[in-house]
């Protein structure tokens, strides 16, 4: 048997690949191996489609000045800036083959319109009016604050009804219509924990009466429908450390204009002495008992005696002071009338029973003198508001 060589040990030359058949003359090469496609770098996905770029070729950028031109045109803060940036951006875009031509053109158009509006506004005064309105709005916004942060002498309008826990108020010029004027305030002390609204209310009423009396000594200058009003801390604000009571003169009806302030900072020594002397008469008049002498004779008799004491005290104090020449006659007349009225109130205060009290009641009230002449002579308000303050 002929010897057969072991082909597993004999090297075999590889068969060369069969070349593709020649293409017709002038035609494209048939078959073959395709050229490598576009790619980025090893490990990155193969790029295809319209956004694919050859390896190493940078992407087309957007001109920054074109973007700035559009933003400036939209914001309108500096109208010429957008126009300038756009003019600089256009040749750069062409030279550097950048994107952003549309942005630059849009920015230039918007800036041109802004410049035109600015010129028209300055020429017609519209820009000035708009700016004044804008500043007025800012001013009003800055005046909105908490009722508990108001300061003495500030006038305000409440956002809503004047309620105990109103927190939002707007400070306004006192010459303008407003609902309230701050007369002062104080901090509640003496309580380790929340004492309750009623306890604070009693303190506030008494303390704010005194505060208001010193703030508006010329009581006739206070409109008849403007009364004592105060803001109290709530149980929630108390836990946060709030102890402030804010005293005011305020109205729940129609707004009033002008400040009611007439204290030591606005009055001279003669005016102050006069008001300190006669104002207690008004104060006691307001305290007349709600029940008549038939229901509570003792309370009415005690009130009449208190009012008699204020007449006598006013008579004495008016005689002690040296008044300016222009007011001496008027004050002297008022003092004589107070002496005569005192006799009528003595009869009322010493009435034996309710019937005798009613008999002397009308004559006592009719004897109360009118202090308008003396007030006017001293440069105070000469017209009384409606109510018990029309007397003395």
């Amino acid at each position: 048997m002929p010897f057969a060589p072991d082909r597993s040990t004999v090297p075999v030359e590889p068969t060369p690949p069969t070349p593709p058949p020649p293409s017709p003359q002038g035609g494209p090469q048939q078959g073959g191996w395709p050229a490598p496609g576009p790619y980025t770098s090893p490990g990155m996905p193969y790029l295809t489609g319209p956004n694919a770029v050859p390896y190493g070729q940078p992407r087309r950028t957007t001109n920054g000045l074109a973007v700035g031109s559009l933003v400036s045109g939209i914001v309108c803060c500096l109208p010429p800036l957008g126009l300038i940036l756009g003019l600089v951006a256009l040749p750069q875009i062409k030279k550097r083959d950048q994107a952003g031509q549309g942005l630059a053109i849009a920015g230039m158009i918007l800036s041109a319109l802004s410049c035109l509006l600015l010129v028209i506004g300055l020429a017609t005064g519209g820009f000035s009016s708009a700016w004044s309105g804008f500043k007025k709005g800012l001013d009003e916004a800055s005046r909105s604050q908490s009722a508990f942060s108001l300061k003495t002498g500030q006038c305000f309008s409440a956002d809503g009804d004047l309620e105990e826990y109103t927190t939002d108020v707007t400070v306004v010029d006192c010459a303008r219509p407003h609902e309230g004027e701050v007369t002062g305030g104080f901090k509640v002390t003496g309580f380790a924990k929340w004492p309750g609204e009623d306890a604070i209310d009693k303190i506030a009423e008494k303390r704010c009466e005194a505060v208001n009396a010193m703030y508006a000594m010329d009581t006739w200058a206070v409109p008849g429908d403007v009364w004592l009003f105060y803001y109290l801390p709530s149980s929630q604000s108390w836990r946060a450390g709030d102890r402030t009571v804010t005293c005011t003169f305020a109205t729940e009806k129609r707004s009033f204009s002008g400040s009611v302030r007439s204290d030591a900072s606005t009055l001279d020594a003669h005016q102050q002495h006069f008001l300190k002397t006669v104002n207690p008469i008004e104060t006691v008049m307001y305290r007349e008992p709600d029940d008549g002498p038939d229901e509570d004779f003792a309370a009415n008799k005690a009130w009449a005696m208190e009012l008699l004491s204020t007449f006598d005290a006013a008579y004495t104090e008016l005689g002690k002071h040296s008044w300016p020449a222009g007011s001496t006659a008027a004050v002297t007349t008022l003092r004589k009338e107070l002496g005569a009225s005192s006799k009528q109130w003595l009869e009322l205060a010493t009435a034996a029973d309710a019937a005798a009290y009613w008999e002397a009641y009308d004559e006592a009230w009719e004897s109360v003198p009118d202090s308008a002449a003396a007030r006017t002579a001293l440069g105070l308000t000469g017209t009384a508001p409606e109510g018990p303050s029309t007397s003395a």
Side-chain angles (χ1 to χ4, degrees):
M1 183 174 181
F3 175 76
D6 186 358
R7 295 184 180 273
S8 61
T9 61
V10 178
V12 181
E13 294 182 1
T15 305
T18 304
S23 300
Q25 186 174 1
Q29 175 69 32
Q30 300 294 324
W33 298 275
Y39 64 97
T40 56
S41 60
M44 296 297 291
Y46 185 80
L47 299 180
T48 59
N51 293 327
V53 296
Y55 177 72
Q57 179 175 336
R59 291 180 177 275
R60 194 181 187 203
T61 60
T62 301
N63 186 273
L65 294 179
V67 176
S69 174
L70 179 62
V71 172
S72 300
I74 294 175
V75 175
C76 298
C77 56
L78 292 172
L81 180 60
L83 187 61
I84 295 172
L85 292 177
L87 291 173
V88 176
L90 287 178
Q92 288 186 359
I93 292 172
K94 184 176 181 181
K95 180 178 180 180
R96 301 173 184 176
D97 191 25
Q98 291 179 307
Q101 181 177 357
L103 300 178
I105 294 175
M108 293 169 63
I109 294 174
L110 292 174
S111 296
L113 291 175
S114 299
C115 291
L116 180 61
L117 291 175
L118 178 61
V119 172
I120 294 175
L122 292 175
T124 60
F127 181 77
S128 177
S129 299
W131 176 247
S132 298
F134 177 70
K135 289 201 302 181
K136 181 179 179 181
L138 288 178
D139 180 63
E140 292 182 352
S142 67
R143 291 172 178 265
S144 297
Q145 54 186 284
S146 166
F148 303 102
S149 65
L150 292 171
K151 299 178 181 179
T152 301
Q154 288 184 323
C155 296
F156 65 91
S157 293
D159 296 338
D161 294 333
L162 284 171
E163 296 178 354
E164 205 165 324
Y165 296 116
T166 297
T167 56
D168 296 327
V169 297
T170 301
V171 177
V172 300
D173 189 327
C174 289
R176 297 172 54 189
H178 53 276
E179 296 171 352
E181 182 173 350
V182 180
T183 58
F186 62 92
K187 290 187 179 295
V188 179
T189 60
F191 298 99
K193 61 180 182 179
W194 168 246
E197 182 180 322
D198 291 341
I200 300 180
D201 186 76
K202 292 179 180 179
I203 297 173
E205 183 175 5
K206 185 176 181 179
R207 293 281 300 273
C208 284
E209 278 185 356
V211 170
N212 282 20
M214 293 304 298
Y215 184 86
M217 297 177 65
D218 188 359
T219 56
W220 285 20
V222 180
D225 54 359
V226 174
W227 299 91
L228 167 68
F229 200 91
Y230 43 83
Y231 290 103
L232 306 177
S234 66
S235 58
Q236 293 82 5
S237 66
W238 182 278
R239 287 194 294 269
D242 177 27
R243 302 290 186 274
T244 301
V245 172
T246 302
C247 307
T248 74
F249 271 116
T251 178
E252 292 182 311
K253 297 180 179 179
R254 57 185 178 184
S255 300
F256 62 101
S257 301
S259 173
V260 299
R261 187 168 195 164
S262 55
D263 56 11
S265 67
T266 63
L267 303 174
D268 62 36
H270 303 294
Q271 293 171 328
Q272 292 183 55
H273 185 84
F274 179 86
L275 294 172
K276 288 178 180 179
T277 300
V278 301
N279 280 353
I281 298 175
E282 286 185 357
T283 302
V284 177
M285 283 180 174
Y286 277 114
R287 295 176 184 169
E288 183 177 10
D290 294 330
D291 295 331
D294 297 318
E295 292 81 14
D296 194 341
F297 177 66
N300 281 267
K301 189 173 180 178
W303 167 76
M305 183 61 72
E306 183 183 10
L307 190 53
L308 171 63
S309 298
T310 61
F311 278 118
D312 291 341
Y315 176 86
T316 301
E317 289 299 321
L318 290 179
K320 289 181 179 179
H321 189 78
S322 297
W323 302 99
S327 61
T328 300
V331 174
T332 301
T333 299
L334 174 61
R335 183 170 180 266
K336 291 180 180 179
E337 292 175 350
L338 283 172
S341 183
S342 176
K343 296 178 182 179
Q344 296 295 328
W345 283 91
L346 176 61
E347 184 177 347
L348 183 67
T350 58
D353 51 33
Y357 188 95
W358 281 123
E359 186 176 348
Y361 183 82
D362 289 339
E363 290 186 9
W365 273 108
E366 290 174 0
S367 70
V368 176
D370 185 356
S371 61
R375 290 173 181 267
T376 301
L378 288 167
L380 299 169
T381 304
T383 303
E386 298 179 359
S389 61
T390 55
S391 302

